[in-house]
Amino acid sequence: MWKKRTIQLGAVVILGIFLLLFRLMQLQLWQAEDFTSRHINLVEDSVRQRSQEVVIDDGRGSILDRNENLITHKKVPVLILFPFLQKINWPHEKVAAILGIDEGELLEAIKRIKEPIMYGGSQPFVLSQWQIEAINSLKVPGVFAVERKIALEKAPARQLVGVLGENEKLAKERYPDKEMLSKTIIGVSGLQKSFDAFLVGEGKTKLVYHVDAIGNPLFGASVKYTNLENSLYPATLKMTLDLKIQQKAEELADAHGIKKGGIVLLDVGTNSLLAMVSRPDPNEKNPFSGSGLSNLMLKEQIVGSVFKTVIAAAAIENGLADSPRLFDCSRKINGQRDLQYNYGLLNFEESFARSCNNAFAEMAKDLQKIDPGLIEEYATRLSLTGRAGWEGNVYHMAGFRQLPEEEPGRVFLTDSERKDPNFAALTGIGQKEVRVTPLAVANMMATIARGGAKEQVRAVSEIEYKNSSTMFSFQQEPLPGRTIAPETAQELQKLLRRVITDSNGTGRWFAGLPYEVAGKSGTAETGRFLEDRQLHNKWFAGYFPFDKPRYALVAVNLDVFEDEGGVNPLFSDMVKFLYSYDQRAE
């Protein structure tokens, strides 16, 4: 009996040993880098438990403005101190003298630390070049003067540039043929996402030392510098943004109380993005909470009377603007008396300058009679439908889009709406189903300013290899499809300028600016209400200087009451700043 039990017990023990060995093989050979449903990398975690490290550079490519200023981070010369300095003799008095501080202060900084620190903490002590050289010449183990890459607490153009995150599963899905570390940082929105394949790092630059279970050095006071040398990757993005202009635009948007809305500024000559501001801002601690990460300048919005520019273009090219016809601008589009805007009888040019709703509702119906698709056609000719952002082939990536989050815009939803006179009337004043992005509106103004040349908008001009040589250059490209005739563009230029110069023009507010402005205002009903009051979208879109256009600018404030949230002061201050900025540059 006892022999049988002994045999059974032995079998259980052998089976247990076999299962244990199988489990160890599973952990070490098959699932060492992908353990459990949480995809834990046991190899990395075991190394992490046996070491302490300071990341000097996260390994991701840099993003620069057009003047090669860093956009997302800064590089700061700092002092790194390791915990084992508590247990060795080192020339702290010499280091303190180089720093110009009391040696007791330096010793106090490392008195109770258990991990490497950057001296000064969140406000690091910034070293000069001679201090870096002097400290490193001492060759003190555990004391390093290095240039560290530090993310900006509040980076500019946050929604446009995008945010980063650590997502091992997404990284492996995005790069199935590439060996990705579990803590690899990838782009999850904006340019960081669309250009992620060029920016993604191949490894972090670190200072590492190995420790035992209680934190003591395993191999003496020996710190290892780790860096994956690659002269080509990660790449660097050179944006078309101007950092100083971008920072001023953000400052002005906040100063003028833009809670939901923003600014788009284009360089007319190159059709490049100089500044883009979207509010609300992302939550700094959790950017994915709320709506702050959404770039409203790339989202469809109700545009209001700015759309009358499209109707004007179509009217000019289809013979509706040449006649001596007068429009009754003392009435609303439903025929009722307009007690607020009682302008009387106005011709075509006067109607545009004063933004007469009835005139453009009537012209929209006339255009519909000629061809139900005519209004949409001219919206497309002026780049309000479709997408304005740069799109093309980049190496093996066909149809690469710099701004993949950009929405296409629309005029009608159904064919029955196109043929309905009431829909046409409301469409003529930018209401009903008309939706366009602020970027598209800015591009329309730039198109008119250039005499009808319709181009794609660039946010990035170049991708550079790590050694600063050019990998890919984004050239100016035309937007596909027909555009307006040069003669039509000239007529629109006159109309947009008259909005400013007419004594009753909706843009007369800008008459005294240092740059002569041409543009169009818009106040759109949203159909949304707060406290039983309807909310509106306030716009002003234009270009300047009028005689030699350099800038196309859109300022928009969304979901505000009709008598509040004007964008005129914001637009005006941007024009004044750009004038002074250009004067300093000259």
Side-chain angles (χ1 to χ4, degrees):
M1 188 72 175
W2 64 271
K3 289 184 178 180
K4 185 177 180 180
R5 290 181 177 176
T6 302
I7 292 172
Q8 290 175 340
L9 180 61
V12 171
V13 171
I14 291 172
L15 179 61
I17 293 173
F18 176 79
L19 291 173
L20 180 61
L21 289 173
F22 179 82
R23 183 61 167 166
L24 289 173
M25 291 173 64
Q26 181 186 28
L27 293 177
Q28 294 188 16
L29 299 179
W30 304 321
Q31 290 186 321
E33 297 181 3
D34 191 17
F35 181 61
T36 77
S37 60
R38 293 183 295 160
H39 308 286
I40 298 171
N41 191 317
L42 297 174
V43 176
E44 289 185 18
D45 282 357
S46 65
V47 172
R48 197 175 297 113
Q49 290 174 1
R50 301 194 310 269
S51 64
Q52 292 185 353
E53 62 186 39
V54 176
V55 176
I56 305 302
D57 192 310
D58 62 13
R60 190 168 179 83
S62 297
I63 299 181
L64 312 176
D65 81 338
R66 64 174 182 170
N67 298 312
E68 301 191 351
N69 297 305
L70 291 168
I71 291 283
T72 59
H73 62 275
K74 56 185 177 181
K75 292 185 177 181
V76 183
V78 297
L79 182 67
I80 303 296
L81 303 172
F82 280 76
F84 60 75
L85 291 170
Q86 301 164 358
K87 302 176 182 180
I88 66 172
N89 292 321
W90 59 287
H92 52 269
E93 67 285 348
K94 291 183 180 179
V95 175
I98 294 171
L99 296 178
I101 62 173
D102 183 77
E103 60 183 276
E105 182 181 337
L106 183 61
L107 292 173
E108 186 65 28
I110 63 169
K111 193 173 183 180
R112 287 179 291 273
I113 63 172
K114 295 183 179 180
E115 296 181 348
I117 63 166
M118 179 171 61
Y119 183 66
S122 59
Q123 299 295 327
F125 189 100
V126 180
L127 305 176
S128 64
Q129 186 59 39
W130 80 265
Q131 287 174 320
I132 293 174
E133 295 173 358
I135 289 171
N136 288 336
S137 68
L138 296 175
K139 298 182 179 180
V140 181
V143 179
F144 296 89
V146 297
E147 188 176 62
R148 191 178 190 187
K149 182 179 178 180
I150 301 176
L152 297 176
E153 290 184 8
K154 190 174 181 180
R158 189 78 181 276
Q159 295 94 337
L160 173 64
V161 173
V163 299
L164 303 170
E166 291 181 353
N167 188 322
E168 182 179 6
K169 183 179 179 181
L170 180 58
K172 288 182 177 179
E173 289 176 358
R174 194 177 288 178
Y175 307 108
D177 300 327
K178 188 174 183 178
E179 185 176 345
M180 305 295 292
L181 298 175
S182 63
K183 298 296 182 180
T184 298
I185 297 173
I186 59 173
V188 293
S189 70
L191 298 178
Q192 293 280 22
K193 181 179 179 180
S194 57
F195 286 88
D196 191 56
F198 303 99
L199 296 172
V200 67
E202 299 192 0
K204 300 176 181 178
T205 300
K206 301 180 287 188
L207 294 171
V208 182
Y209 82 103
H210 296 278
V211 296
D212 59 22
I214 60 173
N216 292 321
L218 276 175
F219 311 114
S222 177
V223 176
K224 184 180 179 182
Y225 177 84
T226 65
N227 180 29
L228 291 176
E229 290 293 340
N230 189 325
S231 62
L232 299 180
Y233 293 98
T236 294
L237 288 192
K238 189 171 182 181
M239 295 184 67
T240 61
L241 286 191
D242 186 302
L243 183 58
K244 291 182 179 179
I245 297 176
Q246 175 68 32
Q247 290 172 331
K248 187 64 177 181
E250 295 190 13
E251 175 189 322
L252 289 175
D254 293 336
H256 287 286
I258 304 298
K259 303 299 182 184
K260 184 181 179 183
I263 294 170
V264 179
L265 178 68
L266 299 182
D267 181 313
V268 170
T270 63
N271 217 48
S272 299
L273 197 60
L274 291 176
M276 178 176 279
V277 181
S278 178
R279 293 292 183 265
D281 245 349
N283 184 310
E284 291 298 322
K285 294 183 179 179
N286 184 9
F288 298 99
S289 65
S291 59
L293 202 57
S294 178
N295 190 342
L296 298 184
M297 301 301 99
L298 301 179
K299 303 299 181 184
E300 295 171 346
Q301 313 294 345
I302 304 173
V303 70
S305 293
V306 174
F307 193 76
K308 292 172 183 174
T309 310
V310 172
I311 304 300
I316 291 168
E317 293 199 352
N318 287 275
L320 301 181
D322 298 331
S323 68
R325 180 181 179 183
L326 297 178
F327 300 91
D328 189 351
C329 293
S330 62
R331 295 189 181 278
K332 299 179 181 180
I333 65 174
N334 59 7
Q336 296 179 0
R337 298 289 299 181
D338 191 336
L339 301 178
Q340 184 177 4
Y341 303 107
N342 186 15
Y343 290 130
L345 297 176
L346 300 179
N347 64 23
F348 173 70
E349 294 181 359
E350 292 168 334
S351 295
F352 189 86
R354 304 181 192 185
S355 202
C356 171
N357 283 343
N358 196 36
F360 284 85
E362 290 297 316
M363 280 187 282
K365 289 190 286 186
D366 291 343
L367 291 167
Q368 183 196 57
K369 292 176 183 177
I370 297 172
D371 183 347
L374 208 52
I375 296 175
E376 281 175 309
E377 178 185 332
Y378 276 87
T380 301
R381 290 192 189 193
L382 286 169
S383 83
L384 290 188
T385 60
R387 294 180 174 89
W390 195 97
E391 183 175 352
N393 297 333
V394 179
Y395 294 123
H396 61 281
M397 292 181 286
F400 177 85
R401 291 170 54 200
Q402 289 192 2
L403 305 171
E405 296 159 357
E406 180 189 6
E407 295 179 345
R410 69 172 193 255
V411 178
F412 297 105
L413 286 177
T414 66
D415 192 54
S416 61
E417 290 176 357
R418 289 184 191 89
K419 299 175 182 178
D420 188 318
N422 293 322
F423 268 86
L426 290 167
T427 299
I429 61 173
Q431 292 286 167
K432 209 56 181 176
E433 297 303 331
V434 178
R435 302 289 186 276
V436 300
T437 68
L439 177 65
V441 173
N443 201 39
M444 175 178 73
M445 290 297 166
T447 299
I448 294 169
R450 284 192 299 268
K454 186 172 65 170
E455 295 185 3
Q456 298 180 7
V457 176
R458 296 181 301 166
V460 175
S461 60
E462 288 182 349
I463 307 173
E464 295 180 344
Y465 286 114
K466 190 176 180 180
N467 61 11
S468 298
S469 62
T470 300
M471 177 193 299
F472 189 87
S473 179
F474 294 91
Q475 302 298 319
Q476 288 182 246
E477 297 288 349
L479 270 176
R482 297 178 65 185
T483 184
I484 57 174
E487 297 78 15
T488 305
Q490 291 176 4
E491 291 301 313
L492 289 176
Q493 291 169 5
K494 295 175 185 177
L495 290 174
L496 292 168
R497 179 58 184 159
R498 185 162 179 172
V499 170
I500 313 300
T501 59
D502 190 293
S503 59
N504 289 306
T506 57
R508 58 188 180 276
W509 211 82
F510 306 109
L513 292 177
Y515 276 143
E516 290 186 339
V517 172
K520 185 73 187 74
S521 61
T523 300
E525 296 178 352
T526 66
R528 295 184 289 271
F529 290 81
L530 180 65
E531 300 172 355
D532 295 326
R533 298 176 64 191
Q534 183 162 206
L535 298 175
H536 294 73
N537 293 344
K538 297 289 189 74
W539 297 74
F540 197 87
Y543 67 89
F544 51 92
F546 175 67
D547 54 343
K548 295 181 180 180
R550 295 179 62 179
Y551 303 106
L553 175 63
V554 170
V556 58
N557 203 358
L558 304 171
D559 287 342
V560 294
F561 295 128
E562 186 176 16
D563 57 349
E564 297 177 356
V567 294
N568 288 357
L570 173 58
F571 191 100
S572 175
D573 283 350
M574 275 299 298
V575 174
K576 292 175 184 176
F577 166 75
L578 290 167
Y579 177 81
S580 61
Y581 186 74
D582 292 341
Q583 295 298 112
R584 291 195 299 270
E586 294 172 359

